[in-house]
Amino acid sequence: MTMTLARRAWTLFEPIHAIVYFAPEAPEHFKAAGLRGGWMGYFASRSAPMGAVSPGLVTAVFHNFHPSMVARALPDAWRYSSPELALTARSAAADAALRRLWGDEVESATLADVAETTMGVASRLRGGGRPLYTATSALDVAEIPHLKLWQACTRLREHRFDGHVAALTVHGLDGLESLITIVAAGAALDAATMRSFRGWSDEDWDAGVARLRDRGVLDAAGELTDQGQALRAAVEETTDELAGDVWEHMDAGERERLFASLRRLAVLLEAPGGISYPNPIGLERPA
């Protein structure tokens, strides 16, 4: 995949946002907030900026999870907890994990500058048609620099994700078909692992493969055809196009200084109790 400016930025801000999916502190804080189990914590805390939303809405917005997997977490999460408690727990998990992994860096003037610049970028994004970004960007901004940076990276991540779902929809791939084509394109995770982390059965997966074969996206061996490769490339190109303006319009020198700082911070997260590669969310190492 071509390393566009938007894709390069994604590899830098995504790990900072995603620390809450890997850090051992997260389950502890979710449990304290009344959220039972890791998946309930995930679905409740990520959707919480939108309020006490229904499983159907979360299934649609998150796009690639089996509806029954979402329904096991929601709306029960709102009986045991609340959007406010879920958001507080997620911020507390990010705070604890980043303090542990970044150490004295969290008190540095450099990190404060990076947080301010990144939030400035994230605040210039347009929210039309982007539910996760719009809801997330309406949350109060933290005063603590490392949490402000985490919030900015979360805004950037959800903005790109909303655009990615739009790209998949335009190119005719539902959530399951997206996962199947990612695996066929050579994702680090195998089909069985991908199914497990998204709640799809073998039968669901086989039915999706059959649909994609009928469309000429996959061949008899389950590999991407030329048409399938072009389809995946088009999805990624559209995703980058929808996320690229804010980076292209930055002063080049300011952008490169920011990228260098984000990369250094993102690399520090690849540690015990941090982010591992490969991983179930398809996160790439910082470029």
Side-chain angles (χ1 to χ4, degrees):
M1 185 59 60
T2 303
M3 186 57 69
T4 64
L5 194 59
R7 191 169 189 85
R8 182 180 164 208
W10 169 68
T11 71
L12 303 177
F13 63 71
E14 176 88 357
I16 297 172
H17 157 77
I19 190 60
V20 292
Y21 306 138
F22 296 88
E25 291 89 348
E28 300 170 7
H29 286 285
F30 290 145
K31 183 177 180 181
L35 298 167
R36 306 178 179 185
W39 284 113
M40 183 177 283
Y42 168 76
F43 287 118
S45 66
R46 189 178 171 209
S47 68
M50 299 187 291
V53 289
S54 68
L57 178 60
V58 171
T59 298
V61 172
F62 287 21
H63 195 63
N64 57 26
F65 291 90
H66 192 284
S68 67
M69 187 173 182
V70 182
R72 285 194 291 272
L74 303 175
D76 281 356
W78 311 132
R79 293 197 296 113
Y80 303 130
S81 187
S82 68
E84 294 76 17
L85 288 173
L87 287 170
T88 298
R90 188 163 78 149
S91 292
D95 181 28
L98 293 176
R99 286 183 185 277
R100 172 173 55 83
L101 292 162
W102 283 347
D104 292 342
E105 188 74 45
V106 300
E107 306 294 342
S108 71
T110 299
L111 189 141
D113 288 341
V114 172
E116 198 66 32
T117 301
T118 308
M119 183 58 78
V121 173
S123 298
R124 292 197 294 272
L125 298 168
R126 290 181 289 182
R130 300 180 193 257
L132 277 173
Y133 168 75
T134 301
T136 300
S137 64
L139 300 175
D140 292 339
V141 176
E143 295 183 6
I144 302 171
H146 65 282
L147 276 183
K148 179 184 287 188
L149 178 56
W150 177 79
Q151 287 181 323
C153 290
T154 298
R155 289 188 186 189
L156 288 162
R157 193 268 189 164
E158 299 298 27
H159 180 272
R160 181 181 174 89
F161 180 83
D162 284 335
H164 185 58
V165 172
L168 290 167
T169 303
V170 165
H171 292 288
L173 290 174
D174 64 25
L176 172 59
E177 292 163 351
S178 171
L179 298 176
I180 293 170
T181 54
I182 287 171
V183 171
L189 293 181
D190 59 272
T193 303
M194 193 72 82
R195 286 196 298 272
S196 173
F197 275 93
R198 296 295 186 270
W200 299 98
S201 68
D202 292 351
E203 292 76 18
D204 294 326
W205 193 271
D206 290 344
V209 167
R211 292 197 301 273
L212 292 168
R213 283 177 178 155
D214 289 344
R215 289 172 54 186
V217 174
L218 298 179
D219 61 21
E223 302 293 328
L224 289 175
T225 62
D226 290 345
Q227 177 185 334
Q229 291 175 5
L231 178 62
R232 277 305 325 177
V235 167
E236 299 303 329
E237 288 169 6
T238 302
T239 301
D240 286 346
E241 288 172 7
L242 292 172
D245 283 357
V246 71
W247 304 111
E248 293 166 1
H249 293 158
M250 281 186 74
D251 173 81
E254 180 185 13
R255 183 181 63 228
E256 290 306 312
R257 287 190 293 273
L258 176 61
F259 278 11
S261 295
L262 289 174
R263 187 183 189 283
R264 181 174 59 82
L265 292 167
V267 167
L268 290 174
L269 302 180
E270 189 177 351
I275 294 176
S276 59
Y277 300 91
N279 50 72
I281 65 174
L283 178 59
E284 298 178 8
R285 280 191 166 90

